[in-house]
Amino acid sequence: MARLGEIESHYQLRIYGALVVAALLFALLLGRLWYLQIIKGEYFEDQSRNNRIRTIKLTGPRGGIYDREGRHLVQNRAQFSIALMLEDVVDLNSTLMMLAVVTGRPLEQIKSELSASKKKKKRFFELQIVIPDASSDEVAKVKANGYRLPGVVVDVSPTRIYPNGALASQVLGYTREISAKQLESKLEYGYKQGDVLGQTGIEYSYEQELRGRNGEMKVEVDAHGNKKKELAVEPGVPGKDLYLTLDIDIQRASEEALRDKSGAVVALDVKTGEVLAIASAPTYDANIFSGNVLANDWQRLTADPLRPLTNRALAGTYPPGSTFKLIVAVAALAENTKILPEKGDWCPGYFMLGRRYNCHKKEGHGLVDMQRAIEQSCNVFFYKLGLNLGIETIYKYGSMLGLGSVTGIGLQNEESGIMPNGEWKRKRFSKPQLQTWEKWDTLSVSIGQGFLNVTPIQLANAMATLVNGGVMRRPYLVSHVDDPDHRTRLNLKSTFEKKLPIPQVALDKVKAYAETVVMAERGTGKKARVSGVSVGGKTGTAQYASLDKEKKKDDHAWFISFAPVHDPMIALAVLVEHGGKGGVAAAPISQQVMQVYFRKKGMLIEDPKTVSVEGPVVDDEEAIDFEQEMDRVEDYALPDEREKRE
Amino acid sequence: MAIIKFNVKFDWKLLVLALIICAMSLIVLYSAGFDFEEKQSFSMTAQCLNIIVGLIAFFCCAILSPEFWRRWSYLIYGFGCVLLVLVFGIGVVGGGARRWLDFGFIQLQPSEIMKIGLILTMARFFSAENSPRDGYNLFTLLKPAMVIGIPAAMILVQPDLGTAGILCLVGGSMLLVAGVKLRTIITIVLLAGVLLIPAWGGLEEYQKNRVRNFLSPELDPMGTGYHAIQSKIAVGSGQLLGKGYLKGTQTQLRFLPEQTTDFIFSVLAEEWGFVGAAALIAMYVLLILRLCMLANRASDGYGMFICVGTACYVFWHAFINMGMVIGILPVVGITLPLVSYGGTSVVSILAVLGFAAGAGVRRGIFS
């Protein structure tokens, strides 16, 4: 191994030399530190105390929502709040006190808002909001006393306003400040604390279109926090505007017709699938969510047993009752006319299958053909028809028309309901003795009861499909999105279209039968008549089966309709929870909505004399024997309940 | 001769000095990474782990005999080069540059391995029997210049101006200690002057901006000059005794960029003042003095150059980092040795110190 030998001293010399160089350079560092910290220390101390650069959030406002005629459904308004820039506040206590005096607000309230705000904000130099909902009067007072309130800032941010109050509130949804949990799950979308997020309805489903992007501005400020110079501006980008297919007039008519009831109305444009109205009652005023949500408002909404936040048109499932007879009729006409008792059948008022199944008219309808069976809603006729067809055929047409599956309208919480068949029952029940499909199950489904469960929007769409030559469309709510910045328009109209394999003859016949329900003298839907326009429809009274017999309530009233009969433009589904008979409780709502629609179209004849809707309605419509039906429900529901508990 | 031979002794004084700097690091990092909401500092906890891993590396490097490392020097250098090539292909982009390799469980910065490889290789190269005793001339210089230049060029195109510069400075300093003829030095300085002008054109725009901003940071206060201004305010406002622990407004209000890594020194200077900053510089001086003592004591040329290389590594890192924080050097991404937060940085510097601690006590024990 090489020893250093005689040249060792050379290396040593160079190492010493290097040390001297290093020492000189370190001395240079120390000299510079001395200059910065000792000589100019006070200057930098001053600079750091008023570090003059602030970052100000620039809010990109959320997009507006409009109806089909460009009228505002949701817009933004300026929300003033009074905030503190803590770093500029000289004496916090006296400033808060002064603020309380100037605005006339209790000091305690301001203090609690401040501590709540402090808990939320993580970054420094962010405003601490102390009065979140300042009135313009308070803003003026604060501005006038600005010199006495150092560090107090008036902040303006856009907030949602619903100019029509409760109109379509479940469809539009609401927004709230993003929660910590949502912040985590939406991380990749770049949300920040304090951002607003759509929580339900359109606001939720079209969040990415509607949301504005926040920008920021770096500004130089003086010692009092006043802006002196803008250093860098990254402007906020406003959200896009949404144009809905809803018509405010029809929506309002629907909601007014449902006033003081609970239920739903869906109005569809038959030719396009556009949703003209989705009403769900009871409703709520969405404006309570703009600005600060009061705790008791929220409590009241969520605790209400009538669940005003739920959109019953999409999320409520109910047996369709006799409205389903139209679908059974189409199935029979399409499948095989020979299974039809063409010449008519005798209704004695009951049907025997192991036991007695009653028609709602105790003495019987006598001789009925399909037209009369639909017009007067005879159960016995449809019991027989259903048995002849078998459940799988009924299932085929029911599911083909969209029952038991979501329509895909694009709103959250849409329910699929149940279109039962043999396979469904096998999967649904675990006990073998409950898994086989029984004939009496078919009986119930034939008249729209039993396991069958649908949503109002499904029925409305099925109605539209039946009268539209069997062309099925997907109901849609958003027609297009406008980008105000780029002046572009994105068309979101649904082009989904499916021709169902149903012969035109069958559809024409059902349409004609449905017309008699409204137009014939003995029709159950007479109260849905609209002067000047021929209307077709079908009433339904859905068994409300509660296991708790103490809480026995009225049945659900249904009415589905379309008009004009010869060239249908609009299809409706009306549901009134516990409304009683469909022809009495639901048909008039259809009438009110259609009147508004056809008045706008100029097709309504405004002569009260010709409106013969006040005539007597056949009273004996489809009230099945309740007790008997209850037994049937218990057969299934109780063992199943037990299974769940196990 | 057995290749693997264990050192029973190493220079524990060097270790103590390093640990004192590590302790200072933890104290400053606690403040720099302090989260007032959580009432804790994530950076400090993670740095403890980094230091523990670094100490394991230190002992590994110190205990294995210098002969072992001498034999493996070129291989480590070659391995570093391969990793640098890999960075081009599968590197992870961070901060606009491709500097990292992601091995799933660990992210590695190959340029740090390259620094170790360079010190080991240069030490072996300069201590070789056939190295010119009377100093390198322009011709014999070519080989060591390439050893430095190839990895430096690869790092420069990542692009990482700072690390490429460190590589050249450490290698160049070792070269000067090894001896270069005076007329050769003069020739090179002249040549460099001619070559620097076209080199300016080859710099990235952000690198040019950094140099420009270094010359006058007030030109663009919100852009690249922001770092320099805020850092100067932090350091200056510390004054003689500092604002007090956890009380530095620049630090706690997060005005400082990268305050746990590249700008950790400004946190120290703000909260502990001139006294604190000078104390850290004193610690570096002691560490470098100790390394030079070890160099003089080393049993052979290899051990000596290891110690010299390590001293250069510590010195240039510390000088460039502190220089940029206090505004006498441009802002380049160079860490403050043993103080900046970061696994690769802490582990590699403790490993290098391990080589030196092992190499410096060999006289008279085995040979």
Side-chain angles (χ1 to χ4, degrees), chain A residues 12 14 32 37 51 218, chain B residues 177 222 230 250 296 326:
Chain A
Q12 261 178 16
R14 292 192 200 116
R32 173 73 174 179
Q37 299 190 289
N51 201 323
K218 294 213 192 267
Chain B
V177 172
M222 292 317 296
Q230 294 299 344
Q250 292 285 103
N296 276 340
I326 62 179

Side-chain angles (χ1 to χ4, degrees), chain A residues 36 90 96 202 216 218 292 382 412 434 447 474 499 537 550 597:
Chain A
L36 289 178
V90 182
L96 291 181
I202 294 276
E216 62 176 34
K218 294 213 192 267
N292 255 27
F382 278 95
Q412 75 199 126
L434 292 177
I447 57 157
R474 179 179 296 144
K499 175 83 178 78
E550 295 296 307
Y597 179 80

Side-chain angles (χ1 to χ4, degrees), chain A residues 324 328-329 332 339-341 351 379-394 437 439 442-447:
Chain A
F324 190 66
V328 178
I339 61 171
L340 270 178
F351 182 74
N379 283 351
V380 172
F381 183 90
F382 278 95
Y383 286 146
K384 289 183 180 169
L385 201 55
L387 281 181
N388 282 348
L389 285 168
I391 185 61
E392 296 305 329
T393 309
I394 297 174
W437 186 269
K439 279 192 170 173
T442 310
L443 282 195
S444 306
V445 171
S446 308
I447 57 157

